[in-house]
Amino acid sequence: MPSASAKPDIAAEFVRLGPDGSAAAAPHQVVTVPGETVPLFALDLPARLRGQAREQVARRQLAARLGLRSDQISMHPFAPARKTAAAWTRVLAAETGWLDSLRRLPGRAVLPDYLALPAAAGIWSLALRGSGPGAAISVRLGVEDGFTAQAPLTLMMLQQALDSRPRPKALLLPAEAPPEFAELARAHGIPAAASPAAVAALGLPQPVVLGHGELTCDLRRNPMAAQAQLERKLLPWRWPLLAAVLAAALWSAAQITAILRIEAQTAAAAAETTALAQTHFTNGAPVLDARLQISRALAGLRNAAGPAAQPDVLELTRRIAAVAAKAGARAESLSYQQGEAVRLAVRLADFAAADQLAAALRTQGLAVQLTDSRADGSEGGVFAEFAITADSPGPGGERR
């Protein structure tokens, strides 16, 4: 029998979206749109992502899967049974412009037609839309999955679902459904029932309409839940926040003179550094990357001094690996070319961990330059790359 939290909505009435994109729905009615235009997708998101960052990664992942720009596709979280949109692991997706046109529709909610089917855990439901060769079939696979497609494609998708997930306990199949679906149920030993009451007569949970939180998937609502929630929390603080912004602006204006003076000093120092590098290291050639060009010039001088002046790369690599392992970094690559620094690429928990690793390497007497650092949207965490040499003195003043 159905649980107490899944009571059927007896007064539920549905109005289908018209060809012109309108629907004359009363306040208590639900507008249904073709499920083909709002497919349901499952996404694989890093568990550590939360809030708006998780929503943004979900949007990028879905856009990459569909071959579209992220502004061309809009998402709504689909988690009716849990009554929460925090996971974003299953999303309803549609073209942005079309989805925006639904926001003006009246009624209780706007849902894909497959969410209007009776649902229960372990029960699959089918409903026929239209007739003839162009008829479409809406399918609800339990509580948390569904789709709408043409009859031949629906049959193939059902066969694929039977091959890839647990077999349903029963199939709620209307009498007007094509006979191929009844044959598919018999071939897999699945009981077929013509009504929710007939499913309950089999000793199974009775499928109910809108009994699993489907109304939380209203396509008219703002899908960026975390952003909307943040805006609601910040609203009472708008005036104190405005005052703080004005105070910050006044303080910034007071610092303009000092900032301009520092910028002028920085530009003069950069010009002097460039002139010295051209004079002593590049033979008058343009200086594009002073640190890299000077390092190469010094490496050339060391090479000219003979093998004895070459760094012990194996010892340097051992020291780098020991520090990286102690810091809990996951190494991606470690490379070295004659006359250049050792290149270490790692994945870390966050940007602070990258700074801590650089500091730990410097305490071992190594010269460290962070050449690249960025957030890793696919796996979470931070990707960082370092250029490391043994040019700086080690503890006690000796060179390593």
Side-chain angles (χ1 to χ4, degrees):
M1 296 298 293
S3 62
S5 61
K7 295 179 180 179
D9 189 349
I10 300 175
E13 295 184 17
F14 298 96
V15 175
R16 183 166 297 279
L17 184 69
D20 59 350
S22 64
H28 69 280
Q29 292 178 313
V30 173
V31 178
T32 61
V33 300
E36 307 96 311
T37 60
V38 193
L40 178 60
F41 293 93
L43 303 177
D44 184 14
L45 303 178
R48 289 182 294 180
L49 284 179
R50 292 290 185 273
Q52 189 174 358
R54 188 175 182 88
E55 297 169 9
Q56 291 172 346
V57 171
R59 180 183 295 273
R60 289 196 297 269
Q61 188 177 122
L62 181 63
R65 180 183 297 184
L66 298 177
L68 301 171
R69 298 193 313 270
S70 59
D71 61 343
Q72 293 178 304
I73 195 76
S74 293
M75 303 183 309
H76 280 257
F78 180 76
R82 294 187 295 274
K83 304 293 195 302
T84 175
W88 285 88
T89 53
R90 302 185 71 82
V91 296
L92 297 166
E95 190 271 327
T96 299
W98 179 80
L99 198 61
D100 289 341
S101 70
L102 302 180
R103 304 194 192 284
R104 58 180 174 78
L105 293 177
R108 188 180 179 189
V110 177
L111 301 175
D113 52 17
Y114 51 82
L115 292 188
L117 299 182
I123 309 299
W124 292 8
S125 303
L126 276 74
L128 190 65
R129 191 188 75 204
S131 60
I137 296 181
S138 298
V139 180
R140 189 78 181 269
L141 304 177
V143 175
E144 296 191 349
D145 204 353
F147 63 90
T148 298
Q150 299 297 313
L153 181 58
T154 300
L155 193 63
M156 295 174 57
M157 295 175 69
L158 279 176
Q159 181 63 63
Q160 184 179 18
L162 288 169
D163 295 338
S164 60
R165 63 179 70 193
R167 190 182 65 179
K169 300 174 183 177
L171 183 65
L172 182 54
L173 188 65
E176 65 272 15
E180 294 86 354
F181 293 94
E183 294 174 4
L184 180 66
R186 285 194 297 271
H188 289 81
I190 303 171
S195 67
V199 173
L202 298 174
L204 299 172
Q206 179 171 336
V208 295
V209 176
L210 301 182
H212 302 279
E214 288 85 353
L215 293 177
T216 63
C217 302
D218 187 353
L219 296 176
R220 299 173 303 179
R221 294 181 181 176
N222 179 9
M224 303 301 287
Q227 182 176 354
Q229 184 179 10
L230 180 61
E231 292 174 353
R232 288 194 298 271
K233 288 182 178 180
L234 290 178
L235 189 60
W237 298 94
R238 60 188 183 277
W239 294 117
L241 182 61
L242 179 60
V245 169
L246 291 175
L250 292 174
W251 177 85
S252 298
Q255 302 301 315
I256 289 178
T257 302
I259 292 173
L260 293 176
R261 183 173 63 251
I262 292 173
E263 288 179 347
Q265 294 173 349
T266 301
E272 184 178 359
T273 300
T274 300
L276 291 173
Q278 288 179 319
T279 301
H280 298 286
F281 296 103
T282 67
N283 295 324
V287 177
L288 303 178
D289 187 334
R291 185 185 296 272
L292 179 60
Q293 289 173 275
I294 292 174
S295 296
R296 288 178 175 174
L298 292 175
L301 294 175
R302 284 195 292 268
N303 291 338
Q310 296 299 318
D312 187 345
V313 178
L314 292 179
E315 172 62 17
L316 179 60
T317 301
R318 182 194 64 78
R319 292 164 59 194
I320 293 172
V323 175
K326 187 175 181 180
R330 179 158 65 90
E332 292 288 322
S333 64
L334 184 66
S335 60
Y336 170 74
Q337 293 185 2
Q338 184 73 19
E340 296 187 2
V342 173
R343 298 277 176 175
L344 171 66
V346 295
R347 294 189 187 277
L348 298 155
D350 49 39
F351 290 103
D355 294 336
Q356 292 169 3
L357 176 57
L361 290 167
R362 293 188 183 100
T363 61
Q364 295 299 313
L366 303 175
V368 182
Q369 179 188 3
L370 180 62
T371 60
D372 187 15
S373 64
R374 59 182 183 271
D376 189 346
S378 62
E379 297 185 12
V382 170
F383 173 85
E385 184 179 76
F386 302 88
I388 307 169
T389 64
D391 290 340
S392 63
E398 75 279 4
R399 288 187 177 274
R400 294 182 176 267

